[in-house]
Amino acid sequence: MTLRYMPGFGNDFETEALDGALPQGQNSPQRCAYGLYAEQLSGSPFTAPRGTNERSWLYRLRPSVQHVGRFREIELPHWKTAPHVVRHGRPLGQLRWDPTPIPDEPLTFLTGMRTMTTAGDVFTQAGMAAHVYLATESMADEVFFNADGELLIVPQQGSLRLVTELGVIAIGPAEIAVIPRGTKFKAELIDGPSRGYVCENYGAKFTLPDRGPIGANCLANPRDFKTPVAAFEDKETPHRVIVKWCGGFHETTIGHSPLDVVAWHGNYAPYKYDLRTFSPVGAIAFDHPDPSIFTVLTAPSGEAGTANVDFVIFPERWLVAEHSFRPPWYHMNIMSEFMGLIYGRYDAKEEGFLPGGMSLHNCMLPHGPDTDAFAKASTAELKPVKLTGTMAFMFETRFPQQLTRYAAELPTLQDDYPACWNGLEKQFDKREDTGQ
């Protein structure tokens, strides 16, 4: 089936799967067309300013009160929620993992979720969690919604078909999808087992960063974000509904599919984005700009210029700076950085950081190019060079990221990662004059 999308970021969309299903001129008529029920899904307080007020009106076969029954607690033991501080015995330091193998056992997007770090406090709607998912089978006759935050999904291997209340999204490596808080969906596999990363954002929802002096164009352009058209399931078969709420998981069984929205309008909806459409901006004379120049999405914290979470990518781009050290420089940062590699090589760590792998550089822990990358960049001919076939990303948060026991005990954790800087010997010579 060819999927259709509507372009634009944060637009007020309207879409219907059946002609005439969407009321015109009002939200809640006395009788909706086709015998549908009108229901509002609010992603912000009613009184939020117009620019941040988020809601959609849904016209569905049954209202959501018919989509739940008596809940019972269940366990998804590898999915953790902040605050989650455990004594795992792993000393403080920079950390890096090889790719996590996809196991040969039945795992869905939910049961295959593995939390690597948590940050902040879900009870105050601040912070995030970084996960890796390992899926070997589709979710069948079960749906999920997350009351704790929105999910930013980053496939690294294999493609996903995300069947949501508001339409269907297909994504593969180098694409992302965002599922808003409270939106029901299921994840199906398209081309075999899938592995990827998830940022669970407890705070204000992701939005586009301000461009400032950059102006109206480049970085992530709004037209490249795609929101699905309305699609619905009319299935009278038993379904499990699973909800994550304040870190706990609960399920109920109902006799039909809750993915039954025939029409909707509003600005609170899932969307996808192709990371290859990001238009990088960089230095065209000298020096390396701050990595914030590669921000795709940002979740504001309420403090100007300080994000709850930033989603940053490092895509293909030209390096042209003169008399400059071109890779990312050595750095200590108040923000905490969880990185992943979708494909290719990362220019500051060409060896050891593998596709499907991860790294964690927490608040005020120094990091930067390894010994080989430093030597190469310090002696390279400074002609224009294009970095090709590469896509790395970063979940960056203002909160320290706490390591889970799962992450601390993963066999793929590289115990010798900090040794990559051991070869950076003292080169000081007070007689030297570089002339720069």
Side-chain angles (χ1 to χ4, degrees):
M1 181 178 66
T2 300
L3 300 181
R4 295 173 51 231
Y5 303 96
M6 300 174 287
F9 187 90
N11 292 12
D12 208 282
F13 297 103
E14 63 173 36
T15 175
E16 56 186 12
L18 296 176
D19 290 343
L22 193 67
Q24 298 298 312
Q26 67 177 120
N27 295 322
S28 186
Q30 185 181 25
R31 294 184 179 86
C32 294
Y34 299 101
L36 300 173
Y37 289 86
E39 177 177 288
Q40 184 174 222
L41 174 62
S42 295
S44 65
F46 295 138
T47 53
R50 181 180 295 270
T52 56
N53 203 302
E54 294 157 341
R55 65 90 178 95
S56 287
W57 278 91
L58 319 180
Y59 302 90
R60 59 194 322 156
L61 305 188
R62 293 177 173 90
S64 287
V65 290
Q66 283 281 311
H67 296 165
V68 296
R70 184 178 296 276
F71 281 107
R72 53 193 172 272
E73 288 192 47
I74 62 171
E75 294 291 331
L76 291 177
H78 294 295
W79 190 332
K80 305 299 183 183
T81 302
H84 179 75
V85 182
V86 296
R87 299 180 66 87
H88 47 65
R90 176 64 55 180
L92 181 68
Q94 307 93 332
L95 301 172
R96 188 167 69 186
W97 294 262
D98 289 331
T100 306
I102 301 176
D104 185 19
E105 63 179 281
L107 292 174
T108 67
F109 180 79
L110 297 185
T111 59
M113 195 72 69
R114 305 289 186 259
T115 305
M116 299 296 294
T117 69
T118 65
D121 185 349
V122 73
F123 300 107
T124 60
Q125 297 187 345
M128 57 153 280
H131 315 280
V132 59
Y133 72 85
L134 309 165
T136 60
E137 64 180 17
S138 297
M139 295 171 63
D141 291 336
E142 67 177 12
V143 299
F144 172 72
F145 70 95
N146 192 339
D148 288 345
E150 65 180 340
L151 299 176
L152 189 160
I153 303 169
V154 187
Q156 186 273 322
Q157 176 183 321
S159 300
L160 296 177
R161 186 174 184 264
L162 304 171
V163 184
T164 82
E165 293 182 277
L166 282 73
V168 182
I169 290 173
I171 54 171
E175 296 179 304
I176 62 168
V178 173
I179 308 293
R181 184 194 306 259
T183 301
K184 302 180 188 77
F185 75 98
K186 62 182 176 181
E188 300 174 339
L189 304 186
I190 295 176
D191 50 10
S194 182
R195 176 178 61 201
Y197 312 89
V198 174
C199 178
E200 183 180 7
N201 170 27
Y202 309 141
K205 71 185 294 287
F206 281 111
T207 188
L208 295 179
D210 291 330
R211 292 192 180 102
I214 294 173
N217 302 293
C218 293
L219 307 185
N221 288 305
R223 68 182 295 236
D224 294 321
F225 290 83
K226 310 294 184 183
T227 294
V229 299
F232 68 99
E233 293 184 344
D234 186 5
K235 296 174 64 175
E236 300 293 319
T237 57
H239 277 67
R240 294 173 68 217
V241 178
I242 302 164
V243 56
K244 181 176 186 284
W245 191 87
C246 289
F249 294 88
H250 312 264
E251 73 167 10
T252 188
T253 302
I254 59 176
H256 51 272
S257 171
L259 305 177
D260 64 357
V261 176
V262 178
W264 64 270
H265 76 85
N267 63 355
Y268 192 67
Y271 57 87
K272 66 176 290 186
Y273 176 72
D274 188 334
L275 301 177
R276 291 159 295 200
T277 65
F278 186 84
S279 179
V281 174
I284 57 175
F286 59 90
D287 282 351
H288 191 296
D290 290 336
S292 53
I293 205 72
F294 299 113
T295 302
V296 179
L297 293 167
T298 185
S301 68
E303 181 180 339
T306 304
N308 180 69
V309 189
D310 282 330
F311 175 60
V312 180
I313 66 171
F314 303 99
E316 292 190 0
R317 60 200 183 275
W318 280 95
L319 303 180
V320 299
E322 300 174 326
H323 52 80
S324 298
F325 186 78
R326 289 177 175 177
W329 17 252
Y330 297 103
H331 192 204
M332 293 177 64
N333 190 5
I334 194 170
M335 303 290 275
S336 296
E337 304 171 356
F338 178 92
M339 284 193 66
L341 185 61
I342 300 172
Y343 57 77
R345 291 183 172 185
Y346 179 55
D347 60 328
K349 305 277 189 353
E350 292 190 357
E351 303 295 335
F353 189 32
L354 304 175
M358 297 158 281
S359 69
L360 176 64
H361 300 137
N362 243 319
C363 172
M364 289 303 171
L365 291 181
H367 50 280
D370 60 24
T371 302
D372 291 341
F374 176 81
K376 180 179 176 181
S378 299
T379 58
E381 180 184 356
L382 292 181
K383 60 184 180 180
V385 174
K386 187 175 184 181
L387 297 180
T388 60
T390 181
M391 183 68 72
F393 74 89
M394 180 166 64
F395 302 148
E396 183 180 68
T397 177
R398 65 183 298 190
F399 300 102
Q401 298 193 43
Q402 301 290 336
L403 204 63
T404 63
R405 187 178 302 280
Y406 170 83
E409 296 177 354
L410 258 183
T412 58
L413 181 60
Q414 300 177 5
D415 286 330
D416 62 346
Y417 172 45
C420 75
W421 295 294
N422 285 351
L424 296 171
E425 298 178 351
K426 179 180 178 181
Q427 301 183 41
F428 175 69
D429 184 348
K430 64 182 180 181
R431 299 168 299 175
E432 184 176 9
D433 180 1
T434 64
Q436 297 186 19

